[in-house]
Amino acid sequence: MSTAHRTLPHGFEERLRADLGEDIAARLADALMTSAPATPAVRLNRRKGARPGAALGAPVGWSGGDGFYVSGERPVFAFDPAWHAGLYYVQDASSMALSAIVGEIASRYYPGGEPLAYLDACAAPGGKTIAAIDALPPGSLVAANEFDRRRAEILVENLMKHGCPDMAVSRGDTAAMRRLPAMFDIIAVDAPCSGEGMMRKEPEAIAQWSPRLIDECAALQREIIANVWPALRPGGFLIYSTCTFNRAENEANLAWIEREFGASRIECEALAGVGGVVSLEKGAYRFLPGFVDGEGLFVGAVRKACDSSDRRAAAPRRKNKAKAKIDPAAAKFTDMVLGKDFRLMPQATPERPLRAVRAELADACALLESTLDLRTCGVKPGTLKGKDLAPSHALALSQALAADAFPRVELEDENAARAYLRGESLPALPEGTPRGLVIVTHGGAPLGFVKNLGNRANNLFPQGLRLKTLPAPGYTAPQLATLCPPSDSNPTSR
């Protein structure tokens, strides 16, 4: 949409003035009508060893140190092998604020650094979930849910690329979460909203706007919050966010949580000191076009009343009583590729993909599986096919994969890497490459598996993830992320 012809809905500016005041409303409306969308930004995957590439510009000040703006024009990220390897995630800069809040809650209220339990109730496409993962202590359990079936598939894909081994993804209505015990230290509700903050990027956000839509969204948001509240531990924290501007969906809903549940609002020092972030009330932070280089975001957090001296006493544990047997060969394979810290979950049916979780998270994952429609959990080592085990693509991208589990072949040329990502067959691998499963890397970062047959290598990159097109000859992807230090486990290159 051309900025010269962006017309705001009738009645929208009047509501902005009533909610935000004349000066803020005028500056925001001007930005929505005349300015281009925010500068593209990416979040680096530090847990995979990603470092800023030459094409990255200034850091995003509220991102926790992992977010950077992209220099120059917006690239085609799908043409960059580093994106497929999960070295970075493309995310609007404003949305990176969640990392600052989660990081501050973890360090201020849980200074011992112990793993926490985190629930993202409205998680797709996964950017805010990834921001939370990066800010949580290692070993924390991260559960992510999405109502929409297609968006849930995208969520699974994005979290797979990130490679966190301690996550579970479910699909369904948050009403099911009322049946969970109070097991989460932090719950995030990035609620479905009227989408005013997307007006620069999505024409539909302008076309659909109405006061009635605002009222409907505000009611739905309160319903979602009420659904997830029982799953929050006493003394735990709920982070509430939207991508809209009006008070009814933002400050008014924070105040409703305080009244309805006796919660107390908390302030985030990491956001309070950032230039351009607007705060009209205690503990409520607005990222507004015209004030920051990002799209619209509102975020705030509350704390649940602590009615127990032991915050973990409120989380009953349900033992995994499934009678399904664990295949010995699958268990041996899991030990080899992930190590002894991981335990296979029982399989309901033999053809279902294997799932391995850290032993200390097994009970929690079993509880989630018995309550929610779980789509994935932990790491998927692969699928049993008779007596053979076909490794999963997720295993190649997992942060938990043992460095020496498979031989690796480096594709130094990015065109060769893109050919692999397109699903093309590879010629013979370098002499000395063992036959069987081999991980293909680019820049030291795993892209996926091939099966080396000696005279050729069969491409095992998943059909649904393959590149549909290739760039023009001579194209070089801008360097957004590098892997440093490079892996010592790549014995060959080509």
Side-chain angles (χ1 to χ4, degrees):
M1 174 185 283
S2 169
T3 57
H5 298 92
R6 196 182 291 138
T7 302
L8 300 180
H10 176 71
F12 173 72
E13 291 182 74
E14 180 180 355
R15 181 143 191 168
L16 281 186
R17 290 192 293 270
D19 282 350
L20 307 181
E22 291 285 346
D23 294 342
I24 294 176
R27 185 171 169 182
L28 172 58
D30 181 68
L32 293 176
M33 288 187 290
T34 65
S35 67
T39 304
V42 302
R43 168 172 288 278
L44 295 181
N45 191 343
R46 301 287 193 181
R47 297 192 182 185
K48 281 193 173 181
R51 299 293 184 271
L56 292 187
V60 177
W62 51 84
S63 69
D66 297 333
F68 293 83
Y69 291 104
V70 177
S71 298
E73 295 184 4
R74 182 184 182 91
V76 180
F77 296 104
F79 290 159
D80 184 3
W83 177 76
H84 291 271
L87 293 189
Y88 66 86
Y89 180 86
V90 184
Q91 184 175 36
D92 176 66
S94 296
S95 295
M96 296 183 187
L98 195 80
S99 181
I101 294 182
V102 173
E104 186 164 315
I105 289 173
S107 60
R108 184 195 300 178
Y109 298 97
Y110 308 105
E114 73 270 30
L116 302 176
Y118 181 93
L119 169 64
D120 191 337
C122 311
K128 292 185 179 69
T129 309
I130 290 172
I133 291 171
D134 293 343
L136 289 165
S140 296
L141 172 65
V142 176
N145 179 75
E146 172 57 38
F147 175 78
D148 182 83
R149 188 178 303 276
R150 175 60 187 141
R151 283 170 57 82
E153 294 173 359
I154 296 172
L155 173 63
V156 170
E157 178 183 327
N158 286 331
L159 292 181
M160 175 188 67
K161 287 179 182 176
H162 185 266
C164 174
D166 304 316
M167 58 85 182
V169 179
S170 61
R171 191 208 73 80
D173 196 308
T174 55
M177 296 174 186
R178 289 178 176 269
R179 301 194 299 269
L180 289 170
M183 61 183 293
F184 292 101
D185 301 288
I186 306 173
I187 295 179
V189 176
D190 184 40
C193 67
S194 56
E196 297 165 344
M198 295 293 105
M199 285 182 172
R200 292 195 299 182
K201 294 178 62 177
E202 300 175 6
E204 178 62 22
I206 294 176
Q208 71 179 3
W209 186 89
S210 71
R212 179 179 177 179
L213 176 62
I214 291 173
D215 293 340
E216 291 173 349
C217 288
L220 174 61
Q221 291 150 5
R222 291 191 292 271
E223 178 183 342
I224 293 172
I225 293 165
N227 285 340
V228 304
W229 191 259
L232 185 62
R233 285 186 170 128
F237 299 84
L238 185 139
I239 302 171
Y240 176 73
S241 61
T242 72
C243 61
T244 204
F245 303 128
N246 64 80
R247 280 184 174 268
E249 297 179 69
N250 295 325
E251 287 93 347
N253 271 347
L254 275 185
W256 176 82
I257 299 171
E258 292 176 293
R259 295 192 307 270
E260 185 75 10
F261 302 110
S264 55
R265 205 177 299 192
I266 67 165
E267 296 186 82
C268 178
E269 295 177 1
L271 297 183
V274 175
V277 177
V278 175
S279 182
L280 303 178
E281 293 182 7
K282 170 187 173 183
Y285 306 96
R286 292 174 172 272
F287 292 75
L288 305 175
F291 291 79
V292 299
D293 191 359
E295 302 304 339
L297 176 80
F298 171 89
V299 64
V302 298
R303 188 175 195 185
K304 191 173 189 178
C306 193
D307 55 11
S308 171
S309 59
D310 179 5
R311 67 179 182 87
R312 296 198 177 271
R317 298 167 66 86
R318 182 178 301 180
K319 294 296 183 182
N320 187 351
K321 297 181 179 180
K323 296 181 180 179
K325 295 181 179 180
I326 301 296
D327 183 86
K332 182 178 179 181
F333 178 80
T334 299
D335 287 347
M336 180 189 77
V337 298
L338 297 176
K340 299 291 186 181
D341 291 341
F342 284 81
R343 175 188 302 173
L344 280 177
M345 295 184 69
Q347 297 297 99
T349 57
E351 66 276 7
R352 188 174 182 180
L354 300 168
R355 298 158 304 156
V357 299
R358 293 189 200 275
E360 58 268 29
L361 300 180
D363 288 339
C365 289
L367 175 57
L368 292 174
E369 185 168 44
S370 68
T371 310
L372 308 177
D373 180 9
L374 219 57
R375 295 307 171 97
T376 188
C377 188
V379 183
K380 290 182 177 180
T383 304
L384 286 171
K385 295 184 177 180
K387 295 183 178 180
D388 297 327
L389 193 145
S392 71
H393 182 61
L395 178 63
L397 300 183
S398 176
Q399 298 168 18
L401 177 65
D404 59 353
F406 301 95
R408 302 188 179 198
V409 167
E410 170 74 6
L411 299 179
E412 294 180 347
D413 182 74
E414 70 175 55
N415 289 319
R418 279 192 287 267
Y420 168 76
L421 295 168
R422 189 169 166 79
E424 297 178 11
S425 296
L426 300 183
L429 299 183
E431 186 177 351
T433 304
R435 295 197 179 201
L437 294 170
V438 175
I439 286 182
V440 169
T441 65
H442 178 70
L447 297 177
F449 284 105
V450 296
K451 188 171 184 178
N452 183 29
L453 302 178
N455 59 341
R456 72 180 192 279
N458 289 346
N459 192 328
L460 302 181
F461 194 75
Q463 182 73 35
L465 300 180
R466 293 179 179 179
L467 283 175
K468 303 299 187 294
T469 60
L470 291 173
Y475 173 85
T476 300
Q479 190 182 64
L480 299 176
T482 62
L483 190 61
C484 182
S487 172
D488 293 329
S489 59
N490 294 349
T492 54
S493 63
R494 55 192 301 271

